[in-house]
PDB file of all heavy atoms in Angstrom:
ATOM      1  N   ALA A   1      15.213 -21.176  10.290  1.00  0.00           N
ATOM      2  CA  ALA A   1      14.551 -22.415  10.718  1.00  0.00           C
ATOM      3  C   ALA A   1      13.568 -22.965   9.698  1.00  0.00           C
ATOM      4  O   ALA A   1      13.356 -24.172   9.641  1.00  0.00           O
ATOM      5  CB  ALA A   1      13.832 -22.186  12.045  1.00  0.00           C
ATOM      6  N   VAL A   2      12.942 -22.094   8.902  1.00  0.00           N
ATOM      7  CA  VAL A   2      11.924 -22.595   7.971  1.00  0.00           C
ATOM      8  C   VAL A   2      12.575 -23.343   6.815  1.00  0.00           C
ATOM      9  O   VAL A   2      13.670 -23.000   6.385  1.00  0.00           O
ATOM     10  CB  VAL A   2      11.038 -21.447   7.422  1.00  0.00           C
ATOM     11  CG1 VAL A   2      10.255 -20.788   8.535  1.00  0.00           C
ATOM     12  CG2 VAL A   2      11.887 -20.419   6.674  1.00  0.00           C
ATOM     13  N   ASP A   3      11.891 -24.380   6.340  1.00  0.00           N
ATOM     14  CA  ASP A   3      12.448 -25.158   5.237  1.00  0.00           C
ATOM     15  C   ASP A   3      11.499 -25.301   4.055  1.00  0.00           C
ATOM     16  O   ASP A   3      11.765 -26.056   3.127  1.00  0.00           O
ATOM     17  CB  ASP A   3      12.887 -26.547   5.717  1.00  0.00           C
ATOM     18  CG  ASP A   3      11.735 -27.355   6.294  1.00  0.00           C
ATOM     19  OD1 ASP A   3      10.604 -26.836   6.329  1.00  0.00           O
ATOM     20  OD2 ASP A   3      11.970 -28.504   6.706  1.00  0.00           O
ATOM     21  N   GLU A   4      10.391 -24.573   4.079  1.00  0.00           N
ATOM     22  CA  GLU A   4       9.477 -24.563   2.943  1.00  0.00           C
ATOM     23  C   GLU A   4       9.757 -23.320   2.091  1.00  0.00           C
ATOM     24  O   GLU A   4       9.812 -22.204   2.623  1.00  0.00           O
ATOM     25  CB  GLU A   4       8.023 -24.536   3.411  1.00  0.00           C
ATOM     26  CG  GLU A   4       7.570 -25.832   4.077  1.00  0.00           C
ATOM     27  CD  GLU A   4       7.553 -27.004   3.107  1.00  0.00           C
ATOM     28  OE1 GLU A   4       7.352 -26.750   1.900  1.00  0.00           O
ATOM     29  OE2 GLU A   4       7.755 -28.152   3.544  1.00  0.00           O
ATOM     30  N   PRO A   5       9.939 -23.466   0.774  1.00  0.00           N
ATOM     31  CA  PRO A   5      10.294 -22.326  -0.088  1.00  0.00           C
ATOM     32  C   PRO A   5       9.339 -21.135   0.035  1.00  0.00           C
ATOM     33  O   PRO A   5       9.782 -19.988   0.129  1.00  0.00           O
ATOM     34  CB  PRO A   5      10.252 -22.934  -1.493  1.00  0.00           C
ATOM     35  CG  PRO A   5      10.585 -24.371  -1.269  1.00  0.00           C
ATOM     36  CD  PRO A   5       9.924 -24.733   0.029  1.00  0.00           C
ATOM     37  N   GLU A   6       8.034 -21.399   0.042  1.00  0.00           N
ATOM     38  CA  GLU A   6       7.080 -20.289   0.120  1.00  0.00           C
ATOM     39  C   GLU A   6       7.165 -19.577   1.466  1.00  0.00           C
ATOM     40  O   GLU A   6       7.156 -18.337   1.527  1.00  0.00           O
ATOM     41  CB  GLU A   6       5.656 -20.801  -0.104  1.00  0.00           C
ATOM     42  CG  GLU A   6       4.618 -19.681  -0.155  1.00  0.00           C
ATOM     43  CD  GLU A   6       3.228 -20.178  -0.502  1.00  0.00           C
ATOM     44  OE1 GLU A   6       3.088 -21.352  -0.894  1.00  0.00           O
ATOM     45  OE2 GLU A   6       2.286 -19.376  -0.391  1.00  0.00           O
ATOM     46  N   ALA A   7       7.264 -20.349   2.537  1.00  0.00           N
ATOM     47  CA  ALA A   7       7.393 -19.745   3.869  1.00  0.00           C
ATOM     48  C   ALA A   7       8.690 -18.959   3.966  1.00  0.00           C
ATOM     49  O   ALA A   7       8.736 -17.878   4.571  1.00  0.00           O
ATOM     50  CB  ALA A   7       7.351 -20.827   4.945  1.00  0.00           C
ATOM     51  N   ARG A   8       9.730 -19.463   3.347  1.00  0.00           N
ATOM     52  CA  ARG A   8      11.023 -18.773   3.365  1.00  0.00           C
ATOM     53  C   ARG A   8      10.928 -17.430   2.646  1.00  0.00           C
ATOM     54  O   ARG A   8      11.439 -16.421   3.130  1.00  0.00           O
ATOM     55  CB  ARG A   8      12.076 -19.668   2.707  1.00  0.00           C
ATOM     56  CG  ARG A   8      13.505 -19.158   2.852  1.00  0.00           C
ATOM     57  CD  ARG A   8      14.475 -20.184   2.285  1.00  0.00           C
ATOM     58  NE  ARG A   8      15.829 -19.751   2.477  1.00  0.00           N
ATOM     59  CZ  ARG A   8      16.469 -18.902   1.678  1.00  0.00           C
ATOM     60  NH1 ARG A   8      15.826 -18.397   0.625  1.00  0.00           N
ATOM     61  NH2 ARG A   8      17.712 -18.545   1.912  1.00  0.00           N
ATOM     62  N   ARG A   9      10.267 -17.404   1.507  1.00  0.00           N
ATOM     63  CA  ARG A   9      10.088 -16.139   0.788  1.00  0.00           C
ATOM     64  C   ARG A   9       9.288 -15.144   1.620  1.00  0.00           C
ATOM     65  O   ARG A   9       9.594 -13.946   1.647  1.00  0.00           O
ATOM     66  CB  ARG A   9       9.387 -16.398  -0.559  1.00  0.00           C
ATOM     67  CG  ARG A   9      10.275 -17.047  -1.610  1.00  0.00           C
ATOM     68  CD  ARG A   9       9.616 -16.999  -2.980  1.00  0.00           C
ATOM     69  NE  ARG A   9       8.404 -17.816  -3.027  1.00  0.00           N
ATOM     70  CZ  ARG A   9       8.392 -19.097  -3.364  1.00  0.00           C
ATOM     71  NH1 ARG A   9       9.511 -19.719  -3.686  1.00  0.00           N
ATOM     72  NH2 ARG A   9       7.252 -19.774  -3.393  1.00  0.00           N
ATOM     73  N   ASP A  10       8.279 -15.649   2.314  1.00  0.00           N
ATOM     74  CA  ASP A  10       7.469 -14.771   3.171  1.00  0.00           C
ATOM     75  C   ASP A  10       8.307 -14.185   4.301  1.00  0.00           C
ATOM     76  O   ASP A  10       8.159 -13.009   4.646  1.00  0.00           O
ATOM     77  CB  ASP A  10       6.294 -15.556   3.764  1.00  0.00           C
ATOM     78  CG  ASP A  10       5.230 -15.891   2.726  1.00  0.00           C
ATOM     79  OD1 ASP A  10       5.247 -15.274   1.646  1.00  0.00           O
ATOM     80  OD2 ASP A  10       4.391 -16.771   3.010  1.00  0.00           O
ATOM     81  N   ARG A  11       9.185 -14.995   4.899  1.00  0.00           N
ATOM     82  CA  ARG A  11      10.002 -14.521   6.016  1.00  0.00           C
ATOM     83  C   ARG A  11      11.039 -13.498   5.539  1.00  0.00           C
ATOM     84  O   ARG A  11      11.354 -12.544   6.234  1.00  0.00           O
ATOM     85  CB  ARG A  11      10.714 -15.684   6.707  1.00  0.00           C
ATOM     86  CG  ARG A  11       9.915 -16.699   7.487  1.00  0.00           C
ATOM     87  CD  ARG A  11       8.504 -16.412   7.847  1.00  0.00           C
ATOM     88  NE  ARG A  11       8.242 -15.172   8.569  1.00  0.00           N
ATOM     89  CZ  ARG A  11       7.095 -14.546   8.555  1.00  0.00           C
ATOM     90  NH1 ARG A  11       6.085 -15.015   7.850  1.00  0.00           N
ATOM     91  NH2 ARG A  11       6.921 -13.441   9.230  1.00  0.00           N
ATOM     92  N   ILE A  12      11.589 -13.702   4.335  1.00  0.00           N
ATOM     93  CA  ILE A  12      12.525 -12.723   3.770  1.00  0.00           C
ATOM     94  C   ILE A  12      11.805 -11.399   3.543  1.00  0.00           C
ATOM     95  O   ILE A  12      12.321 -10.324   3.876  1.00  0.00           O
ATOM     96  CB  ILE A  12      13.145 -13.236   2.455  1.00  0.00           C
ATOM     97  CG1 ILE A  12      14.120 -14.386   2.751  1.00  0.00           C
ATOM     98  CG2 ILE A  12      13.874 -12.112   1.719  1.00  0.00           C
ATOM     99  CD1 ILE A  12      14.714 -15.027   1.506  1.00  0.00           C
ATOM    100  N   ALA A  13      10.603 -11.465   2.984  1.00  0.00           N
ATOM    101  CA  ALA A  13       9.826 -10.255   2.725  1.00  0.00           C
ATOM    102  C   ALA A  13       9.498  -9.528   4.027  1.00  0.00           C
ATOM    103  O   ALA A  13       9.593  -8.296   4.105  1.00  0.00           O
ATOM    104  CB  ALA A  13       8.543 -10.604   1.983  1.00  0.00           C
ATOM    105  N   ALA A  14       9.138 -10.276   5.072  1.00  0.00           N
ATOM    106  CA  ALA A  14       8.810  -9.662   6.356  1.00  0.00           C
ATOM    107  C   ALA A  14      10.038  -9.009   6.972  1.00  0.00           C
ATOM    108  O   ALA A  14       9.955  -7.910   7.542  1.00  0.00           O
ATOM    109  CB  ALA A  14       8.238 -10.714   7.309  1.00  0.00           C
ATOM    110  N   LEU A  15      11.171  -9.653   6.840  1.00  0.00           N
ATOM    111  CA  LEU A  15      12.409  -9.102   7.400  1.00  0.00           C
ATOM    112  C   LEU A  15      12.784  -7.807   6.678  1.00  0.00           C
ATOM    113  O   LEU A  15      13.136  -6.808   7.314  1.00  0.00           O
ATOM    114  CB  LEU A  15      13.519 -10.149   7.283  1.00  0.00           C
ATOM    115  CG  LEU A  15      14.827  -9.871   8.028  1.00  0.00           C
ATOM    116  CD1 LEU A  15      15.454 -11.190   8.475  1.00  0.00           C
ATOM    117  CD2 LEU A  15      15.805  -9.120   7.136  1.00  0.00           C
ATOM    118  N   GLU A  16      12.700  -7.808   5.369  1.00  0.00           N
ATOM    119  CA  GLU A  16      13.058  -6.610   4.610  1.00  0.00           C
ATOM    120  C   GLU A  16      12.052  -5.491   4.851  1.00  0.00           C
ATOM    121  O   GLU A  16      12.416  -4.304   4.836  1.00  0.00           O
ATOM    122  CB  GLU A  16      13.159  -6.942   3.127  1.00  0.00           C
ATOM    123  CG  GLU A  16      14.336  -7.858   2.813  1.00  0.00           C
ATOM    124  CD  GLU A  16      14.488  -8.157   1.329  1.00  0.00           C
ATOM    125  OE1 GLU A  16      13.465  -8.400   0.666  1.00  0.00           O
ATOM    126  OE2 GLU A  16      15.640  -8.146   0.840  1.00  0.00           O
ATOM    127  N   ALA A  17      10.790  -5.856   5.110  1.00  0.00           N
ATOM    128  CA  ALA A  17       9.770  -4.843   5.385  1.00  0.00           C
ATOM    129  C   ALA A  17      10.002  -4.165   6.728  1.00  0.00           C
ATOM    130  O   ALA A  17       9.481  -3.070   6.978  1.00  0.00           O
ATOM    131  CB  ALA A  17       8.380  -5.485   5.365  1.00  0.00           C
ATOM    132  N   ALA A  18      10.793  -4.797   7.602  1.00  0.00           N
ATOM    133  CA  ALA A  18      11.086  -4.214   8.907  1.00  0.00           C
ATOM    134  C   ALA A  18      12.141  -3.116   8.825  1.00  0.00           C
ATOM    135  O   ALA A  18      12.393  -2.426   9.813  1.00  0.00           O
ATOM    136  CB  ALA A  18      11.563  -5.308   9.872  1.00  0.00           C
ATOM    137  N   LEU A  19      12.747  -2.939   7.643  1.00  0.00           N
ATOM    138  CA  LEU A  19      13.815  -1.954   7.474  1.00  0.00           C
ATOM    139  C   LEU A  19      13.288  -0.683   6.836  1.00  0.00           C
ATOM    140  O   LEU A  19      12.603  -0.718   5.817  1.00  0.00           O
ATOM    141  CB  LEU A  19      14.937  -2.539   6.601  1.00  0.00           C
ATOM    142  CG  LEU A  19      15.584  -3.835   7.105  1.00  0.00           C
ATOM    143  CD1 LEU A  19      16.630  -4.306   6.112  1.00  0.00           C
ATOM    144  CD2 LEU A  19      16.198  -3.629   8.485  1.00  0.00           C
ATOM    145  N   GLY A  20      13.626   0.435   7.451  1.00  0.00           N
ATOM    146  CA  GLY A  20      13.255   1.727   6.904  1.00  0.00           C
ATOM    147  C   GLY A  20      14.196   2.148   5.788  1.00  0.00           C
ATOM    148  O   GLY A  20      15.142   1.433   5.444  1.00  0.00           O
ATOM    149  N   PRO A  21      13.979   3.332   5.203  1.00  0.00           N
ATOM    150  CA  PRO A  21      14.774   3.805   4.067  1.00  0.00           C
ATOM    151  C   PRO A  21      16.261   3.916   4.353  1.00  0.00           C
ATOM    152  O   PRO A  21      17.088   3.758   3.448  1.00  0.00           O
ATOM    153  CB  PRO A  21      14.173   5.192   3.770  1.00  0.00           C
ATOM    154  CG  PRO A  21      12.800   5.139   4.353  1.00  0.00           C
ATOM    155  CD  PRO A  21      12.895   4.267   5.562  1.00  0.00           C
ATOM    156  N   ALA A  22      16.623   4.174   5.619  1.00  0.00           N
ATOM    157  CA  ALA A  22      18.035   4.315   5.982  1.00  0.00           C
ATOM    158  C   ALA A  22      18.557   3.084   6.710  1.00  0.00           C
ATOM    159  O   ALA A  22      19.607   3.129   7.351  1.00  0.00           O
ATOM    160  CB  ALA A  22      18.232   5.559   6.843  1.00  0.00           C
ATOM    161  N   GLY A  23      17.828   1.958   6.639  1.00  0.00           N
ATOM    162  CA  GLY A  23      18.265   0.747   7.302  1.00  0.00           C
ATOM    163  C   GLY A  23      17.851   0.660   8.760  1.00  0.00           C
ATOM    164  O   GLY A  23      18.188  -0.290   9.445  1.00  0.00           O
ATOM    165  N   GLU A  24      17.088   1.663   9.216  1.00  0.00           N
ATOM    166  CA  GLU A  24      16.622   1.637  10.605  1.00  0.00           C
ATOM    167  C   GLU A  24      15.466   0.656  10.742  1.00  0.00           C
ATOM    168  O   GLU A  24      14.802   0.319   9.767  1.00  0.00           O
ATOM    169  CB  GLU A  24      16.181   3.039  11.040  1.00  0.00           C
ATOM    170  CG  GLU A  24      14.839   3.510  10.500  1.00  0.00           C
ATOM    171  CD  GLU A  24      14.870   4.032   9.076  1.00  0.00           C
ATOM    172  OE1 GLU A  24      15.891   3.831   8.393  1.00  0.00           O
ATOM    173  OE2 GLU A  24      13.867   4.635   8.648  1.00  0.00           O
ATOM    174  N   LEU A  25      15.230   0.191  11.969  1.00  0.00           N
ATOM    175  CA  LEU A  25      14.110  -0.696  12.220  1.00  0.00           C
ATOM    176  C   LEU A  25      12.859   0.146  12.397  1.00  0.00           C
ATOM    177  O   LEU A  25      12.849   1.092  13.178  1.00  0.00           O
ATOM    178  CB  LEU A  25      14.372  -1.555  13.466  1.00  0.00           C
ATOM    179  CG  LEU A  25      15.588  -2.487  13.356  1.00  0.00           C
ATOM    180  CD1 LEU A  25      15.770  -3.272  14.647  1.00  0.00           C
ATOM    181  CD2 LEU A  25      15.456  -3.432  12.170  1.00  0.00           C
ATOM    182  N   VAL A  26      11.806  -0.186  11.672  1.00  0.00           N
ATOM    183  CA  VAL A  26      10.641   0.694  11.610  1.00  0.00           C
ATOM    184  C   VAL A  26       9.581   0.381  12.665  1.00  0.00           C
ATOM    185  O   VAL A  26       8.609   1.102  12.788  1.00  0.00           O
ATOM    186  CB  VAL A  26       9.984   0.630  10.212  1.00  0.00           C
ATOM    187  CG1 VAL A  26      10.966   1.095   9.155  1.00  0.00           C
ATOM    188  CG2 VAL A  26       9.507  -0.785   9.898  1.00  0.00           C
ATOM    189  N   HIS A  27       9.737  -0.699  13.419  1.00  0.00           N
ATOM    190  CA  HIS A  27       8.749  -1.023  14.441  1.00  0.00           C
ATOM    191  C   HIS A  27       8.689   0.094  15.480  1.00  0.00           C
ATOM    192  O   HIS A  27       9.707   0.640  15.895  1.00  0.00           O
ATOM    193  CB  HIS A  27       9.089  -2.354  15.109  1.00  0.00           C
ATOM    194  CG  HIS A  27       9.126  -3.489  14.136  1.00  0.00           C
ATOM    195  ND1 HIS A  27       8.012  -3.954  13.486  1.00  0.00           N
ATOM    196  CD2 HIS A  27      10.162  -4.228  13.676  1.00  0.00           C
ATOM    197  CE1 HIS A  27       8.360  -4.954  12.685  1.00  0.00           C
ATOM    198  NE2 HIS A  27       9.651  -5.131  12.781  1.00  0.00           N
ATOM    199  N   ALA A  28       7.499   0.392  15.940  1.00  0.00           N
ATOM    200  CA  ALA A  28       7.295   1.577  16.768  1.00  0.00           C
ATOM    201  C   ALA A  28       7.723   1.403  18.215  1.00  0.00           C
ATOM    202  O   ALA A  28       8.833   1.748  18.597  1.00  0.00           O
ATOM    203  CB  ALA A  28       5.829   1.993  16.705  1.00  0.00           C
ATOM    204  N   ASP A  29       6.879   0.883  19.061  1.00  0.00           N
ATOM    205  CA  ASP A  29       7.187   0.827  20.482  1.00  0.00           C
ATOM    206  C   ASP A  29       6.876  -0.553  21.040  1.00  0.00           C
ATOM    207  O   ASP A  29       6.351  -1.425  20.350  1.00  0.00           O
ATOM    208  CB  ASP A  29       6.380   1.891  21.246  1.00  0.00           C
ATOM    209  CG  ASP A  29       4.883   1.806  20.918  1.00  0.00           C
ATOM    210  OD1 ASP A  29       4.360   0.680  20.846  1.00  0.00           O
ATOM    211  OD2 ASP A  29       4.262   2.858  20.727  1.00  0.00           O
ATOM    212  N   HIS A  30       7.224  -0.738  22.303  1.00  0.00           N
ATOM    213  CA  HIS A  30       7.081  -2.053  22.916  1.00  0.00           C
ATOM    214  C   HIS A  30       5.632  -2.523  22.913  1.00  0.00           C
ATOM    215  O   HIS A  30       5.351  -3.715  22.728  1.00  0.00           O
ATOM    216  CB  HIS A  30       7.617  -2.018  24.348  1.00  0.00           C
ATOM    217  CG  HIS A  30       7.533  -3.349  25.039  1.00  0.00           C
ATOM    218  ND1 HIS A  30       8.373  -4.393  24.735  1.00  0.00           N
ATOM    219  CD2 HIS A  30       6.685  -3.814  26.000  1.00  0.00           C
ATOM    220  CE1 HIS A  30       8.063  -5.440  25.488  1.00  0.00           C
ATOM    221  NE2 HIS A  30       7.048  -5.114  26.261  1.00  0.00           N
ATOM    222  N   GLU A  31       4.702  -1.630  23.092  1.00  0.00           N
ATOM    223  CA  GLU A  31       3.296  -2.009  23.149  1.00  0.00           C
ATOM    224  C   GLU A  31       2.852  -2.697  21.866  1.00  0.00           C
ATOM    225  O   GLU A  31       2.066  -3.641  21.877  1.00  0.00           O
ATOM    226  CB  GLU A  31       2.433  -0.770  23.404  1.00  0.00           C
ATOM    227  CG  GLU A  31       0.932  -1.077  23.471  1.00  0.00           C
ATOM    228  CD  GLU A  31       0.089   0.172  23.691  1.00  0.00           C
ATOM    229  OE1 GLU A  31       0.685   1.247  23.926  1.00  0.00           O
ATOM    230  OE2 GLU A  31      -1.136   0.063  23.621  1.00  0.00           O
ATOM    231  N   HIS A  32       3.376  -2.210  20.727  1.00  0.00           N
ATOM    232  CA  HIS A  32       2.996  -2.800  19.450  1.00  0.00           C
ATOM    233  C   HIS A  32       3.873  -3.995  19.095  1.00  0.00           C
ATOM    234  O   HIS A  32       3.439  -4.904  18.384  1.00  0.00           O
ATOM    235  CB  HIS A  32       3.104  -1.753  18.337  1.00  0.00           C
ATOM    236  CG  HIS A  32       2.095  -0.648  18.460  1.00  0.00           C
ATOM    237  ND1 HIS A  32       2.359   0.523  19.122  1.00  0.00           N
ATOM    238  CD2 HIS A  32       0.815  -0.553  18.024  1.00  0.00           C
ATOM    239  CE1 HIS A  32       1.291   1.305  19.085  1.00  0.00           C
ATOM    240  NE2 HIS A  32       0.342   0.672  18.435  1.00  0.00           N
TER     241      HIS A  32
END
């Protein structure tokens, strides 16, 4: 949905940061 280059780079970085070393999702539990 984003159309600003800087915001797009930030969203790509956030998405990749959500992936663990084996491709698993690193977010902990529902509370967080």
Side-chain angles (χ1 to χ4, degrees):
V2 297
D3 60 0
E4 291 294 331
E6 185 175 350
R8 189 175 183 277
R9 286 192 294 270
D10 289 344
R11 292 346 306 155
I12 290 176
L15 191 148
E16 292 182 318
L19 302 178
E24 76 280 12
L25 298 179
V26 299
H27 300 293
D29 52 42
H30 181 74
E31 180 181 353
H32 293 92

